[in-house]
Amino acid sequence: MKIAVAGAGIIGACTAWSAAKQRHEVTLFDKDTAMAHTSQSSSKLLHGGLRYLETGQFALVKKALHARRFWLGQAPHLCRPLELLFPIYQGRGRPKWQISAGTKLYDLLASGSGFPKSRWLDKAEVLKRSPTLLSDGLKGAFSFYDAQMDDSALGRWVVAQCRNLGVEVVENHKIETFDSLAGFDRIANAAGPWAMELRHTQGGRPAFTIDWVRGSHIFTDRPLNQALMLPIPGEKRVFFVLPYQGKTMIGTTEIRQDHPDADRPSESEIGYLIESYNAYHGDKLTAADISGAFSGVRPLLKSAANPSDATREWAFERVGNVLHIYGGKWTTAQIQGEAALAELLK
Ligand SMILES: Cc1cc2nc3c(=O)[nH]c(=O)nc-3n(C[C@H](O)[C@H](O)[C@H](O)COP(=O)(O)OP(=O)(O)OC[C@H]3O[C@@H](n4cnc5c(N)ncnc54)[C@H](O)[C@@H]3O)c2cc1C
């Protein structure tokens, strides 16, 4: 079949890749350049998502835990296993038993994925690895594994695989309406945050709605050895302190927006991330220590009043020969691309 994919983020690229593997004739369009938007603005984790266990997304977590292995096998030069610590402080955040149960369930769902199991580290070991963590009230930490990627490079690697299989990649070409794609048998709308805009060019009421939730990260030039996942003080949310390309990356936020474009990280988001870091570290940060910041918009399926609780699953809607793709995650993009192709060929 002749297939057009609108949107060369990771979801569109993986859809095009799946179609090309089955020898369809594929053209992948992007209004800007491949991976220019959300797919290069993530937390750079190939992860199951420990925190999604709390919202009961067990099937998604299991899928994602196994998807990590796919990326490590395909492109080991662009991603690597990453050990994270979840420190436990007396009287702060979730109790130890709860994180213990969560990490055990994470291990169980990851069975067969080849990642090391979680374990408890005592206070001395945690402070040896993370000497700047506050020692007052620290009981120890749970160690667990996920993986880290260079999202921009890994995404562009997928696009290169598409090209190798004969996909025509057309950048700086916005699809305004599907009429311009009349020569194609099937069309995938993989426009991520802009998927609704393209959906509205067709009639009828969309079956799903996108929730635009901006997430920002900040960088400091301080090198870091140990990745951390920590609860935001006074909130249910967690945040990451990650080593990334010789720097420390801290994120993220969840700010609901009414438009798909990523606004620059706001002063209050930057302040929030600095405060969250300082709540656990002796080497306090100020605004002067921030050497960079970026933001991206999550195209989440609208499913919850609080964006933190929103599902990270995906959904499809077929209208005529067009398949609209909503939601998803970087980690599971390859599985989502295959599922999208199966729907597209129906
Ligand atoms: C802050 C943040 C942290 C995240 N962290 C993680 C993480 O650690 N791990 C993880 O698995 N997931 C993470 N995610 C989620 C993940 O990044 C997204 O689910 C994924 O990148 C979405 O990809 P996409 O292809 O749908 O969107 P995009 O990457 O935005 O791609 C859509 C593309 O469509 C193009 N486009 C739009 N309209 C048109 C049009 N009319 N014609 C042609 N092209 C068009 C755009 O230019 C864009 O390139 C995070 C997301 C955010 C925002």
Side-chain angles (χ1 to χ4, degrees), residues 215-285:
S216 297
H217 291 83
I218 54 174
F219 283 106
T220 78
D221 288 338
R222 297 178 191 170
L224 181 77
N225 293 323
Q226 180 61 62
L228 300 170
M229 180 175 176
L230 289 155
I232 302 254
E235 289 185 38
K236 239 178 72 187
R237 299 192 63 241
V238 292
F239 72 106
F240 294 105
V241 180
L242 301 170
Y244 190 68
Q245 299 184 340
K247 299 182 179 192
T248 300
M249 188 176 96
I250 305 166
T252 175
T253 57
E254 283 173 307
I255 311 286
R256 194 168 254 154
Q257 311 189 151
D258 62 1
H259 53 278
D261 296 275
D263 297 335
R264 292 164 63 87
S266 67
E267 290 298 316
S268 75
E269 281 176 284
I270 293 173
Y272 171 90
L273 291 172
I274 291 176
E275 257 178 51
S276 304
Y277 178 91
N278 288 347
Y280 294 98
H281 290 83
D283 62 333
K284 305 291 181 215
L285 293 176

Side-chain angles (χ1 to χ4, degrees), residues 5-13 29-47 52 149 151 173-176 189-195 197-198 213-217 240 252-253 294-300 312 325 327-332 336:
V5 179
I10 194 58
I11 306 299
F29 295 95
D30 201 284
K31 68 180 176 64
D32 298 312
T33 51
M35 308 299 145
H37 294 284
T38 310
S39 297
Q40 67 161 8
S41 314
S42 78
S43 300
K44 332 263 180 227
L45 292 173
L46 294 166
H47 64 160
Y52 304 133
M149 60 174 159
D151 52 4
H173 184 111
K174 183 172 181 185
I175 304 302
E176 300 287 351
N189 166 9
W194 295 269
E197 197 177 276
L198 265 182
V213 181
R214 185 175 74 247
S216 297
H217 291 83
F240 294 105
T252 175
T253 57
F294 65 92
S295 67
V297 174
R298 301 173 183 86
L300 301 183
R312 264 54 175 180
I325 304 176
K329 276 193 72 71
W330 219 113
T331 309
T332 47
Q336 186 174 349

Side-chain angles (χ1 to χ4, degrees), residues 15 56 71 108 121 137 151 159 179 211 255 269 290 299 314 329:
T15 305
W71 294 113
L108 189 70
L121 302 181
D151 52 4
V159 174
D179 295 345
D211 203 356
I255 311 286
E269 281 176 284
I290 306 309
W314 61 77
K329 276 193 72 71

